[in-house]
Amino acid sequence: MTTTTTDTARTPGPRALARARRRRAAARFWRQYRDHRAGVAGLAVLVLIALVALAAPLLVGAGSQSVTDAPGGPLEPPSGAFPLGTDQFGRSLLALLVWGTRVSLTVGLLAAFLSVAIGTLVGITAGHFKGWYGNVVMRVTDWFLVMPTLVLAIALATVLSRSLWTTVLAIGVTTWPTTARLVRAQTLSVESRPYIERSRALGGGHGHIMSRHVLPNVMPLVLAQTTLVISTAILTEATLAFLGLGDPTIVSWGGLLQDAREAGAVSSGNWWYLAPPGLAIAVVALAFTLCGRTVESVLNPRLGVNR
Amino acid sequence: MSPDSTPALLTGAAGVDAARADGPAPAGPSARGPRARSTTAYLRYAAGKLAGAAVSLFAVLVTSFFLFRLIPGDPVKQMTGGRQVSTEQIAAMRREFGLDLPLWQQFTEYCGKALTGDFGTSYQFHAPVMDKITEALPATLLLTGTAFVIYTAIGIWLGARSAWRNGSAADRFHTAFALTLYSVPSFWLGLLLIITLSVGIGPIPGLFPTGGMESGSGSGFDHVVDVAHHLVLPVVTLVAVEYARTLLVMRSSLLDEMGSDYLTTARAKGLRDDLVRRRHAVPNAMLPTVTLLFVNLGNTVAGAILVETVFSWPGLGGLFYQALSVPDLPLVQALFFVFAAAVILMNTLADVIYPLLDPRVGR
Amino acid sequence: MVTRFPPRSSRPRGRVRILLASGAAALALAAGSVVPGNPVGPAPQEARAADGGKSTLTVAVAQSVDSLSPFLAQRLLSTSIHRLMYDFLTNYDAKDSHTVPGLATAWEPSPDKLTWTYTIRSDSTWSDGEKATAEDAAWTFNRMMTDEGAATSNGSFVGNFKKVTAPSPDKLVIELKQPQATMTALDVPIVPKHVWEKVGDFSKFNNDTKFPIVGNGPFILTDYKVDSYVKLEANKDFWRGAPKFDELVFRYYKDQDAAVAALRKGEVSFVAGSPSLTPAQAASLKSADDIKVNDAPGRRFYALAVNPGARTRDGKKFGDGHPALLDQKVRQALFTAVDRTAVIDKVFQGHAVEGEGYIPPRYGSYFWQPSPEQKLAYDPAKAAALLDEAGYRKNRAGKRTGKDGRPLDFRILCHATDPNDKAIGKYLQEWWGDLGIGLEVDCRDNVSDPWYAGEYDLAFDGWSVNPDPDFVMSIHTCAALPAKAKESAATDNFICDKQYDELYARQLAEYDPAKRADLVKRMESRLYDTGYMNVMAYPNAVEAYRTDQIASITTMPSDAGNIFGQDGYWSWWSAVPAAGASGGPSGGGSSTGVLVGVGIAVVVLAGGGLLFAMRRRSTAEDRE
């Protein structure tokens, strides 16, 4: 979808031409994106959170995760010294929340990347090689699509050892089928365009067509899809951590919720322990969803999403 | 929100469009759909879908067998639980559970028995797996069924209103609100509800039970009330995180319909706006939503694991989690199969029913 | 004998997760798993009024029942319920755990120590009217000796039995292969022969098909709903006297927070914790009205275990324990760098006692403390010196390495379900990190695999100790080692020490309590010195109950002890309902429940009516 035909300008070489065309498309994309208030808000939140994650060591210091040097008493309510209170070891919850940003974002991004990468690969090849390969692959995809994702992820997380990578893997390999489906549909429509025919006639091989023609054309869709998958991935990470299937030695938002529950925060009324990590998860998931929807409606205004 | 959600559905029409364009998920006039309106064509189509479902079910069976063999832990060790048992005893147990056979033989035996509904004996409960599942099934059906009816009603109603008044303050509010709840982790929402409405904070008294499905008291009407009382919070949690999907799909499919000529015609006839919506636009927009509903129902059963855990609901989700930690292989395998089968059956049902609902399919 | 049900009550923490949700903590579990209270009844008075004064004690439990068959049950909850349903031959005194009569009124060993004769009481009847006799006991033991399916949960008790007979209805004779000092600690539920002889396959029969279940304990089980509740009624004919509460209900809460919340609201009368209430929960409950927090010395120890080089009974080595740990100095350095006070203060927040010997101080006659010269007190400087001495010096990066250049990087096995393991793991990482030792905290759901395979360096370990210490001592003998590599075995930590084994054999044949206690203490001393087990703490049992529902309840030991998971039925049997409050859900749904239910119905009806009305109106308009 996206890039339209180029206005035939003075020929500055095909590469530069393509580059200029892409720059123009990006600028137009941004202009349209800006019109969606929700999308801009989501993006702003994401930029802010990304900055917090990157600056975590500067903001709260590396020592804030240490239990032996914990500055506060156990489970102190919010105060001037500890704006969000302390956990059961006396560590500042605000500091832990900031550290957790890194893990949750990393897992979310990696898992989404893995999921979308698998989905794109499967989708493009299935769309391109239409014969038995495409059929078989799509059968497998359909089958994965109907598997209960959470159940499968829980099962995988149980089967493998507890680590960050397990979580990434469990999410990645269970969420790709939707992407594969979307990408395949898009691939089919791109490949029916005349210029692909031309390229093939000129001797373009499978690899050439898929990587040079199809991939750039499905990228915008993939981008939108990635944003949405990240939101799902962050929630799934929190869910797995909450069920005790994450790496307990790493501070993540879901892990904080699990710690809070283990410490008995729910029945002791320690809301300050429970509320912030959940809110953080919801905010980030929502921000990614908003961005994803905006990207999608910019790319395909017919959808009427969020108009 | 339920992490098992299919992102594409969230995006509204995009997902549905793509899926409709080619695929069994929410079925549609796919290339393999019936070409003629004749009954035979439909039957052939339905048979194809059913055969596909059977293949999927078998694949699930295979997966459930092999995936969980990977869980570390010798089942016999788990069963004996560190008690002092003789080598002969261990050998006897291995024989009893068929663990001494080569893997492929275990597999064929497993498949054969599964066909007759026999998934073996639970390691931890010493009872047939199917008995444990049938015990827990009603609780899950009650919870997910109630939640399903409510979130479907709310989702369709609000979705239709939002689309009809597209761009209005109400539309923006409903969409934003639904998206926000959709982004909230369901277990977290459940915990907050427990703190506020069950334990009680400050002036709010604890109105609802903290967990479980019944208090084991009373009979007849009292019992019904008791269960309903326990049902409120888990259902509210499930509805809150689930209704967004229905709302968004309903909204975007109605938006698609709204430009259609027949609506203009209807209006030109002088029909009230309300009526145009209810009699003409909504029924047509319902089609993609209906297929989504089936998919939702299947997914909700599996997605209820978290809510069941938080609210101590004695259903399949809780059982699955309990079985995984042992690991109680026969139980885990059977539950995995049941969850996947629920989704597959619902999808197939959607595929089979869709042409019957949509007169345009089968032209 | 030591452990109630060796398999279940003294169980290595987390190794058998199933049994004790989080392992060793039988106590904790006990505490945690059962909470009495009224299920629904918000206001006990109302419940009582509705029901003609039937008093109900509701206990919130965090475990579900695995089986109601005493031959299969393994979980603490199930075995606790069996104590209430069936009488045992002997019982333990609530005050100091000495043996007191149960179904047997007297017992006596023969001079050669190989034959025990029990006198069976004549005033115990099964709930279906039949008399309980020696024949029932003999049949129960014989069944376990001959049927593998019936030996699942208590088989280890009869391992040393040669023959069991009932020459007369009041006489039970057990002949042994070897002398056994634990014959007054046979924690086996005696079942009615006339009911159980009809059972076909013991490995499949769960005793949950016909209610009420025939028994002769202080309570009769009348109803059971999987994963929901177990209901028992007072046995008015119990020989020791009827319990004060009319009904006892164990309600299952998957989530401990939900159980605590239920206690606050009065839905239940008692909550324990799995294995214990958390410090935060205890603190918040302390300030609540009408709730008493019972913070009592526990029966568990919580220890660090070091892999001494896993091996089989015939000496074949396996596993991959770090070789540096075979050096006693390294082990001592590790233990010396553990600040036990911090563990008690920070992790347990005061709800534990600092660890010393192997057996917790609650069992006074067996409790042992290291002498000042023996003791490995907290001293990081000394730990560093010990490591230097042993040849492990810090390199430039601050890591300690051996002569072969291998760094001191250890793994510690941790139970993923136990918050204490994870918490202490963090502290150990920092303490040992300061010494230049690396530590990987390896948390798993299922620790038994690496454990049995000897694939660990250190591990968090812990057991719940029974009044008779035999079981927890036996798991460190050479005889407990596995026959084949990686096979499951009774051994706790692959310890095998000749001197210890000699002492063990002597105490098992010693029928004089004082002499036996002395031998047990010498074993503890030896265990401490070998340095493969180091007890960090004795966690308390932290549980709570409503004083407006329970007026009084017996703890065990009675001065300061736990309520749930006792070695006996004292707590529930002795509990007295509070005046004017019966805490019973009994007759009908609670009034709050009804109110709310009615409220919901009204709202739904009103909403439906409104919708309908609106529809009508609009259609009417439309018709115009």
Side-chain angles (χ1 to χ4, degrees), chain B residues 23 29 32 66 144 146 159 167 221 271 286 299 315 334 355:
Chain B
R32 298 167 62 243
F66 288 103
T144 51
T146 314
F221 181 68
L271 281 183
M286 284 288 283
N299 273 321

Side-chain angles (χ1 to χ4, degrees), chain C residues 51-105:
Chain C
D51 194 74
K54 185 167 154 190
S55 57
T56 302
L57 172 61
T58 310
V59 179
V61 291
Q63 247 183 351
S64 57
V65 169
D66 53 345
S67 173
L68 283 179
S69 161
F71 297 100
L72 297 176
Q74 315 233 0
R75 297 187 179 169
L76 181 69
L77 171 63
S78 320
T79 57
S80 296
I81 290 175
H82 287 135
R83 271 196 186 274
L84 300 170
M85 297 164 62
Y86 302 105
D87 219 350
F88 294 7
L89 283 183
T90 55
N91 205 336
Y92 306 95
D93 188 68
K95 195 167 170 30
D96 60 2
S97 295
H98 75 264
T99 306
V100 295
L103 187 60
T105 54

Side-chain angles (χ1 to χ4, degrees), chain B residues 73 81 83 208 214-216 275, chain C residues 7 11 40 152 225 265 449 622:
Chain B
R83 273 169 298 120
F208 297 97
E214 59 193 321
S215 42
L275 221 62
Chain C
R11 155 121 291 145
V40 147
T152 305
K225 183 103 186 260
K265 293 174 64 187
D449 276 321
D622 189 54

